[in-house]
Amino acid sequence: MRELAAIVGPEHVEEAVRVGDTARTGRARARVRPADADEVAAVVSWCYEHDLAVVPVGGGSGYAGGAAPLDAEAVALSLDRLSAMRSFDPGLWRMEAEAGMTTETVARRARESGLLFPPDPGAAEQSQLGGTIATNAGGPHAFKYGVTGDWVTGLEAVLAPGEIVRVGGPVRKDVAGYDLRALLTGSEGTLGVVTAAWLRLVPAPEAQLPIAAAFEDVGAGCAAIERVLASGEVPAAIEYLDEATMEAAGGSLPEEPARALGMRMASGSGGASSYANGRAPFVLLLEADGAREEALRVRDALLDALHEGEGLLGLTAPEAPGDVRALWRWRAGVSHAVTARRGAKLSEDVAVPLDRLREAIEGTLRIGERHGLPACSWGHAGDGNLHSTFLLAADHPGERERADAAAHDLFALALELGGTVTGEHGIGVLKARQLRHQWTPAAVAAHRAIKDALDPKGLLNPGKKLP
Ligand SMILES: Cc1cc2nc3c(=O)[nH]c(=O)nc-3n(C[C@H](O)[C@H](O)[C@H](O)COP(=O)(O)OP(=O)(O)OC[C@H]3O[C@@H](n4cnc5c(N)ncnc54)[C@H](O)[C@@H]3O)c2cc1C
């Protein structure tokens, strides 16, 4: 403790703490909060010298237990004090920010200058840029704009045994070496500690025009998604919510979309919408964006594609900025509304090829039935990425175990359909055993070789990512 305090200052070291994320916490011998990259390097170097594990901790919004130490002697390394904007050149569409800046602050700073930082994972106010890069997080608008790594042109990181490296930078192209920037992105703190990133930005679209549409069943909704793609237009987002998700979250829909999607207002409810009077068996949430004229043109083409087939029950296309914001705010709260249904849930993030989406959505419900748990799913339909969820009452004996067994079946289903056990949240500790099912032994060995080369003592976030 004394030696760590000498590096970061006594007020920035705590002894015997619990840290982690939304999925899991663990005990650490100490938590340190360095002020800059040099202090991060000194902490990693000290841990390497003393054979102590180092667990990078961002905003703790992860869903895979990645920031939870597995070894009570570990040192948790919080990045929150590295929150400076090192440079911002709006005219050149780029910024260099430190890892501890929240994802929302990055997006807001860009927005204030008429620019867009497109990655939009749900917990943007809590998550940090470093954690968002370390999980290569996605979000609803990843369909058009890609995931976080697509917007990172360079990284500053501390590698073992405590060296600061810079790969890439403010250049938009760089093929000089192996792509270490991409390797560190999504590595979940197992190859190095990200201390800062150079980001590419784009001018913000002038208009964002969403459409919410209800369909009579999963088949009709999935057919509509394929028609949307075949239309040749590029929506910014293609999200879906199944019937049980709408049952949980539909009650908080703003009034107009609630009516349009067939969920009428309960009389005498004082303005609160109620699901009780209607159903929405399958809902799609699309968005057209761009210069206003272009966004309107794309939205019309999307509306045509939605209307063309069978099974459309109703739709709404809000235009007023307040209504658009309210719709997306509602979408951001869906996960919490589903949790509230029974008090707890196990929510996964498998992804499948788009033409297998319907099987994955229906398969999720069957798996829930088999394990005696209510199930639902919603997610980023355009990316084939499902948040397949099993609802639990935390105090009901045996439900947690049944949910784990259901998740196991879900991973098997995703792989059978040609997909992946995780499209967004990463492997962390929760899914580490799944990798052997997804990868061939040679692919697992290649990953192991990379880990051994960059972290020969195996002290960077041990027990995560690799089996
Ligand atoms: C309500 C909600 C909605 C969400 N929606 C989405 C979504 O739409 N899409 C999506 O992809 N994710 C989503 N997530 C998951 C999560 O928000 C993202 O993965 C997030 O960006 C993680 O950032 P964090 O700073 O909280 O990371 P943490 O949880 O603190 O850490 C995540 C992992 O990154 C490592 N790490 C953290 N900081 C660093 C660093 N500086 N250097 C190296 N390693 C580091 C940790 O060790 C851990 O392994 C959601 C989470 C919540 C709670």
Short mmCIF file of all heavy atoms in Angstrom, two decimals, residues 386-430:
data_model
loop_
_atom_site.label_atom_id
_atom_site.label_comp_id
_atom_site.label_asym_id
_atom_site.label_seq_id
_atom_site.Cartn_x
_atom_site.Cartn_y
_atom_site.Cartn_z
N LEU A 386 -28.99 -10.36 -30.82
CA LEU A 386 -30.14 -10.49 -29.92
C LEU A 386 -29.73 -10.32 -28.46
O LEU A 386 -28.71 -10.87 -28.04
CB LEU A 386 -30.73 -11.90 -29.99
CG LEU A 386 -31.26 -12.46 -31.29
CD1 LEU A 386 -30.13 -13.10 -32.07
CD2 LEU A 386 -32.32 -13.50 -30.98
N HIS A 387 -30.56 -9.60 -27.70
CA HIS A 387 -30.43 -9.64 -26.25
C HIS A 387 -31.45 -10.66 -25.75
O HIS A 387 -32.57 -10.31 -25.36
CB HIS A 387 -30.61 -8.25 -25.64
CG HIS A 387 -29.50 -7.32 -26.02
ND1 HIS A 387 -28.17 -7.65 -25.86
CD2 HIS A 387 -29.49 -6.10 -26.59
CE1 HIS A 387 -27.40 -6.67 -26.31
NE2 HIS A 387 -28.18 -5.72 -26.77
N SER A 388 -31.07 -11.92 -25.84
CA SER A 388 -31.95 -13.01 -25.41
C SER A 388 -31.91 -13.06 -23.89
O SER A 388 -30.83 -13.11 -23.29
CB SER A 388 -31.44 -14.34 -25.97
OG SER A 388 -31.57 -14.33 -27.36
N THR A 389 -33.09 -13.07 -23.28
CA THR A 389 -33.16 -12.81 -21.84
C THR A 389 -34.07 -13.81 -21.14
O THR A 389 -35.13 -14.16 -21.65
CB THR A 389 -33.72 -11.37 -21.65
OG1 THR A 389 -32.81 -10.47 -22.27
CG2 THR A 389 -33.87 -11.01 -20.18
N PHE A 390 -33.61 -14.28 -19.98
CA PHE A 390 -34.41 -15.17 -19.14
C PHE A 390 -34.70 -14.43 -17.84
O PHE A 390 -33.78 -13.92 -17.19
CB PHE A 390 -33.65 -16.49 -18.91
CG PHE A 390 -33.24 -17.12 -20.22
CD1 PHE A 390 -31.94 -17.03 -20.69
CD2 PHE A 390 -34.20 -17.73 -21.02
CE1 PHE A 390 -31.59 -17.56 -21.92
CE2 PHE A 390 -33.86 -18.27 -22.26
CZ PHE A 390 -32.54 -18.18 -22.71
N LEU A 391 -35.99 -14.35 -17.50
CA LEU A 391 -36.40 -13.55 -16.34
C LEU A 391 -36.36 -14.38 -15.06
O LEU A 391 -36.84 -15.51 -15.04
CB LEU A 391 -37.81 -13.01 -16.54
CG LEU A 391 -38.02 -12.18 -17.81
CD1 LEU A 391 -39.46 -11.69 -17.88
CD2 LEU A 391 -37.07 -11.00 -17.83
N LEU A 392 -35.84 -13.80 -14.00
CA LEU A 392 -35.69 -14.52 -12.73
C LEU A 392 -36.30 -13.74 -11.59
O LEU A 392 -36.33 -12.51 -11.62
CB LEU A 392 -34.22 -14.64 -12.31
CG LEU A 392 -33.15 -14.91 -13.32
CD1 LEU A 392 -31.81 -14.75 -12.64
CD2 LEU A 392 -33.33 -16.32 -13.77
N ALA A 393 -36.69 -14.46 -10.57
CA ALA A 393 -36.95 -13.83 -9.28
C ALA A 393 -35.75 -14.25 -8.44
O ALA A 393 -35.53 -15.44 -8.21
CB ALA A 393 -38.25 -14.34 -8.69
N ALA A 394 -34.94 -13.28 -8.05
CA ALA A 394 -33.65 -13.60 -7.46
C ALA A 394 -33.78 -14.51 -6.24
O ALA A 394 -32.89 -15.31 -5.94
CB ALA A 394 -32.93 -12.31 -7.09
N ASP A 395 -34.93 -14.40 -5.52
CA ASP A 395 -35.04 -15.19 -4.29
C ASP A 395 -35.72 -16.55 -4.51
O ASP A 395 -35.97 -17.27 -3.56
CB ASP A 395 -35.80 -14.37 -3.23
CG ASP A 395 -37.12 -13.83 -3.76
OD1 ASP A 395 -37.36 -13.97 -4.99
OD2 ASP A 395 -37.89 -13.27 -2.97
N HIS A 396 -36.01 -16.92 -5.74
CA HIS A 396 -36.60 -18.24 -5.98
C HIS A 396 -35.49 -19.27 -6.12
O HIS A 396 -34.69 -19.18 -7.04
CB HIS A 396 -37.45 -18.24 -7.25
CG HIS A 396 -38.81 -17.64 -7.05
ND1 HIS A 396 -39.91 -18.02 -7.78
CD2 HIS A 396 -39.24 -16.68 -6.21
CE1 HIS A 396 -40.96 -17.32 -7.38
NE2 HIS A 396 -40.57 -16.49 -6.43
N PRO A 397 -35.47 -20.26 -5.25
CA PRO A 397 -34.35 -21.20 -5.29
C PRO A 397 -34.28 -21.92 -6.65
O PRO A 397 -35.30 -22.28 -7.22
CB PRO A 397 -34.67 -22.20 -4.17
CG PRO A 397 -36.02 -21.87 -3.66
CD PRO A 397 -36.45 -20.56 -4.20
N GLY A 398 -33.06 -22.06 -7.13
CA GLY A 398 -32.85 -22.84 -8.34
C GLY A 398 -33.01 -22.06 -9.64
O GLY A 398 -32.61 -22.54 -10.70
N GLU A 399 -33.57 -20.84 -9.58
CA GLU A 399 -33.82 -20.13 -10.84
C GLU A 399 -32.52 -19.67 -11.50
O GLU A 399 -32.39 -19.70 -12.72
CB GLU A 399 -34.76 -18.94 -10.64
CG GLU A 399 -36.18 -19.38 -10.37
CD GLU A 399 -37.22 -18.35 -10.79
OE1 GLU A 399 -36.86 -17.22 -11.14
OE2 GLU A 399 -38.42 -18.70 -10.75
N ARG A 400 -31.57 -19.23 -10.70
CA ARG A 400 -30.29 -18.78 -11.24
C ARG A 400 -29.60 -19.92 -12.00
O ARG A 400 -29.10 -19.75 -13.11
CB ARG A 400 -29.43 -18.22 -10.09
CG ARG A 400 -27.98 -18.00 -10.37
CD ARG A 400 -27.67 -17.08 -11.51
NE ARG A 400 -28.14 -15.72 -11.35
CZ ARG A 400 -27.92 -14.74 -12.25
NH1 ARG A 400 -27.27 -14.98 -13.37
NH2 ARG A 400 -28.36 -13.53 -12.04
N GLU A 401 -29.64 -21.12 -11.39
CA GLU A 401 -29.00 -22.28 -12.03
C GLU A 401 -29.73 -22.62 -13.34
O GLU A 401 -29.11 -22.95 -14.35
CB GLU A 401 -29.02 -23.51 -11.11
CG GLU A 401 -28.11 -23.40 -9.88
CD GLU A 401 -28.61 -22.39 -8.85
OE1 GLU A 401 -29.83 -22.07 -8.83
OE2 GLU A 401 -27.78 -21.91 -8.05
N ARG A 402 -31.08 -22.53 -13.30
CA ARG A 402 -31.84 -22.83 -14.52
C ARG A 402 -31.53 -21.80 -15.61
O ARG A 402 -31.44 -22.14 -16.79
CB ARG A 402 -33.35 -22.86 -14.23
CG ARG A 402 -33.76 -23.99 -13.28
CD ARG A 402 -35.13 -24.55 -13.66
NE ARG A 402 -36.19 -23.55 -13.63
CZ ARG A 402 -36.86 -23.16 -12.53
NH1 ARG A 402 -36.57 -23.72 -11.37
NH2 ARG A 402 -37.80 -22.26 -12.59
N ALA A 403 -31.34 -20.54 -15.20
CA ALA A 403 -31.02 -19.50 -16.19
C ALA A 403 -29.63 -19.76 -16.79
O ALA A 403 -29.43 -19.57 -18.00
CB ALA A 403 -31.06 -18.11 -15.54
N ASP A 404 -28.68 -20.19 -15.97
CA ASP A 404 -27.35 -20.51 -16.50
C ASP A 404 -27.43 -21.64 -17.52
O ASP A 404 -26.79 -21.61 -18.57
CB ASP A 404 -26.39 -20.91 -15.36
CG ASP A 404 -25.97 -19.70 -14.54
OD1 ASP A 404 -26.11 -18.56 -15.04
OD2 ASP A 404 -25.52 -19.89 -13.39
N ALA A 405 -28.26 -22.65 -17.20
CA ALA A 405 -28.41 -23.78 -18.13
C ALA A 405 -29.08 -23.29 -19.42
O ALA A 405 -28.72 -23.71 -20.53
CB ALA A 405 -29.24 -24.89 -17.48
N ALA A 406 -30.05 -22.38 -19.28
CA ALA A 406 -30.72 -21.84 -20.47
C ALA A 406 -29.72 -21.06 -21.32
O ALA A 406 -29.72 -21.18 -22.57
CB ALA A 406 -31.88 -20.93 -20.04
N ALA A 407 -28.84 -20.27 -20.68
CA ALA A 407 -27.84 -19.50 -21.43
C ALA A 407 -26.91 -20.45 -22.18
O ALA A 407 -26.54 -20.20 -23.33
CB ALA A 407 -27.04 -18.60 -20.49
N HIS A 408 -26.57 -21.56 -21.54
CA HIS A 408 -25.71 -22.55 -22.18
C HIS A 408 -26.37 -23.07 -23.47
O HIS A 408 -25.73 -23.15 -24.52
CB HIS A 408 -25.48 -23.70 -21.19
CG HIS A 408 -24.39 -24.61 -21.61
ND1 HIS A 408 -23.07 -24.35 -21.35
CD2 HIS A 408 -24.43 -25.76 -22.31
CE1 HIS A 408 -22.34 -25.31 -21.87
NE2 HIS A 408 -23.14 -26.19 -22.45
N ASP A 409 -27.65 -23.37 -23.39
CA ASP A 409 -28.39 -23.83 -24.58
C ASP A 409 -28.45 -22.74 -25.65
O ASP A 409 -28.40 -23.02 -26.85
CB ASP A 409 -29.83 -24.24 -24.21
CG ASP A 409 -29.85 -25.55 -23.42
OD1 ASP A 409 -28.78 -26.12 -23.17
OD2 ASP A 409 -30.97 -25.98 -23.06
N LEU A 410 -28.58 -21.50 -25.18
CA LEU A 410 -28.65 -20.38 -26.12
C LEU A 410 -27.35 -20.25 -26.90
O LEU A 410 -27.35 -20.03 -28.12
CB LEU A 410 -28.93 -19.09 -25.33
CG LEU A 410 -28.99 -17.82 -26.17
CD1 LEU A 410 -30.30 -17.77 -26.95
CD2 LEU A 410 -28.86 -16.59 -25.29
N PHE A 411 -26.21 -20.38 -26.20
CA PHE A 411 -24.91 -20.28 -26.90
C PHE A 411 -24.82 -21.39 -27.95
O PHE A 411 -24.36 -21.16 -29.08
CB PHE A 411 -23.75 -20.41 -25.91
CG PHE A 411 -23.72 -19.32 -24.87
CD1 PHE A 411 -23.37 -19.60 -23.55
CD2 PHE A 411 -24.04 -18.02 -25.20
CE1 PHE A 411 -23.35 -18.61 -22.59
CE2 PHE A 411 -24.02 -17.01 -24.24
CZ PHE A 411 -23.68 -17.30 -22.94
N ALA A 412 -25.27 -22.59 -27.58
CA ALA A 412 -25.21 -23.72 -28.52
C ALA A 412 -26.08 -23.40 -29.75
O ALA A 412 -25.68 -23.66 -30.89
CB ALA A 412 -25.68 -25.00 -27.85
N LEU A 413 -27.25 -22.80 -29.50
CA LEU A 413 -28.14 -22.46 -30.61
C LEU A 413 -27.46 -21.43 -31.54
O LEU A 413 -27.48 -21.57 -32.77
CB LEU A 413 -29.46 -21.88 -30.08
CG LEU A 413 -30.41 -21.33 -31.14
CD1 LEU A 413 -30.97 -22.46 -32.01
CD2 LEU A 413 -31.57 -20.57 -30.50
N ALA A 414 -26.85 -20.40 -30.92
CA ALA A 414 -26.20 -19.36 -31.73
C ALA A 414 -25.12 -19.97 -32.62
O ALA A 414 -25.00 -19.63 -33.81
CB ALA A 414 -25.60 -18.28 -30.83
N LEU A 415 -24.34 -20.89 -32.06
CA LEU A 415 -23.26 -21.50 -32.85
C LEU A 415 -23.83 -22.39 -33.94
O LEU A 415 -23.34 -22.40 -35.07
CB LEU A 415 -22.31 -22.28 -31.93
CG LEU A 415 -21.57 -21.43 -30.89
CD1 LEU A 415 -20.61 -22.28 -30.07
CD2 LEU A 415 -20.82 -20.27 -31.56
N GLU A 416 -24.90 -23.12 -33.59
CA GLU A 416 -25.55 -23.99 -34.59
C GLU A 416 -26.07 -23.16 -35.78
O GLU A 416 -26.06 -23.61 -36.91
CB GLU A 416 -26.71 -24.67 -33.88
CG GLU A 416 -27.35 -25.83 -34.58
CD GLU A 416 -28.59 -26.23 -33.77
OE1 GLU A 416 -28.44 -26.47 -32.54
OE2 GLU A 416 -29.68 -26.26 -34.34
N LEU A 417 -26.50 -21.94 -35.49
CA LEU A 417 -27.03 -21.08 -36.56
C LEU A 417 -25.92 -20.32 -37.30
O LEU A 417 -26.19 -19.46 -38.13
CB LEU A 417 -28.04 -20.08 -35.97
CG LEU A 417 -29.31 -20.69 -35.35
CD1 LEU A 417 -30.18 -19.61 -34.70
CD2 LEU A 417 -30.12 -21.44 -36.41
N GLY A 418 -24.66 -20.61 -36.95
CA GLY A 418 -23.54 -19.96 -37.62
C GLY A 418 -23.17 -18.63 -37.02
O GLY A 418 -22.54 -17.79 -37.67
N GLY A 419 -23.54 -18.41 -35.74
CA GLY A 419 -23.30 -17.12 -35.10
C GLY A 419 -22.19 -17.15 -34.06
O GLY A 419 -21.29 -17.99 -34.11
N THR A 420 -22.28 -16.23 -33.11
CA THR A 420 -21.25 -16.08 -32.08
C THR A 420 -21.91 -15.99 -30.70
O THR A 420 -23.06 -15.55 -30.59
CB THR A 420 -20.39 -14.82 -32.33
OG1 THR A 420 -19.56 -14.57 -31.19
CG2 THR A 420 -21.24 -13.57 -32.56
N VAL A 421 -21.17 -16.39 -29.66
CA VAL A 421 -21.72 -16.33 -28.31
C VAL A 421 -21.80 -14.89 -27.79
O VAL A 421 -22.50 -14.62 -26.82
CB VAL A 421 -20.91 -17.19 -27.30
CG1 VAL A 421 -20.98 -18.66 -27.71
CG2 VAL A 421 -19.46 -16.73 -27.19
N THR A 422 -21.08 -13.98 -28.42
CA THR A 422 -21.18 -12.57 -28.00
C THR A 422 -20.96 -11.62 -29.17
O THR A 422 -19.93 -11.69 -29.84
CB THR A 422 -20.22 -12.23 -26.83
OG1 THR A 422 -20.25 -10.81 -26.60
CG2 THR A 422 -18.79 -12.67 -27.08
N GLY A 423 -21.94 -10.76 -29.41
CA GLY A 423 -21.80 -9.77 -30.48
C GLY A 423 -21.45 -8.39 -29.93
O GLY A 423 -21.10 -7.49 -30.68
N GLU A 424 -21.55 -8.22 -28.60
CA GLU A 424 -21.38 -6.87 -28.05
C GLU A 424 -20.62 -6.81 -26.73
O GLU A 424 -19.75 -5.99 -26.55
CB GLU A 424 -22.77 -6.25 -27.78
CG GLU A 424 -23.45 -5.70 -28.98
CD GLU A 424 -24.43 -4.63 -28.64
OE1 GLU A 424 -25.14 -4.77 -27.64
OE2 GLU A 424 -24.50 -3.63 -29.38
N HIS A 425 -21.01 -7.64 -25.77
CA HIS A 425 -20.55 -7.42 -24.40
C HIS A 425 -19.20 -8.03 -24.10
O HIS A 425 -18.60 -7.73 -23.08
CB HIS A 425 -21.60 -7.94 -23.41
CG HIS A 425 -22.94 -7.31 -23.60
ND1 HIS A 425 -24.11 -7.91 -23.25
CD2 HIS A 425 -23.28 -6.10 -24.13
CE1 HIS A 425 -25.13 -7.12 -23.55
NE2 HIS A 425 -24.66 -6.03 -24.08
N GLY A 426 -18.75 -8.92 -24.95
CA GLY A 426 -17.45 -9.56 -24.72
C GLY A 426 -17.59 -10.85 -23.93
O GLY A 426 -18.67 -11.24 -23.49
N ILE A 427 -16.46 -11.49 -23.74
CA ILE A 427 -16.42 -12.79 -23.10
C ILE A 427 -16.34 -12.66 -21.57
O ILE A 427 -17.00 -13.37 -20.83
CB ILE A 427 -15.20 -13.58 -23.62
CG1 ILE A 427 -15.44 -14.00 -25.08
CG2 ILE A 427 -14.87 -14.76 -22.75
CD1 ILE A 427 -16.44 -15.10 -25.26
N GLY A 428 -15.51 -11.69 -21.11
CA GLY A 428 -15.34 -11.49 -19.67
C GLY A 428 -15.02 -12.80 -18.99
O GLY A 428 -14.28 -13.64 -19.50
N VAL A 429 -15.66 -12.99 -17.83
CA VAL A 429 -15.47 -14.26 -17.12
C VAL A 429 -16.66 -15.17 -17.38
O VAL A 429 -16.54 -16.39 -17.41
CB VAL A 429 -15.23 -14.00 -15.61
CG1 VAL A 429 -16.42 -13.31 -14.97
CG2 VAL A 429 -14.94 -15.28 -14.88
N LEU A 430 -17.83 -14.55 -17.64
CA LEU A 430 -19.05 -15.35 -17.72
C LEU A 430 -19.06 -16.33 -18.88
O LEU A 430 -19.64 -17.40 -18.80
CB LEU A 430 -20.28 -14.43 -17.84
CG LEU A 430 -20.51 -13.47 -16.68
CD1 LEU A 430 -21.86 -12.79 -16.82
CD2 LEU A 430 -20.44 -14.20 -15.34
#
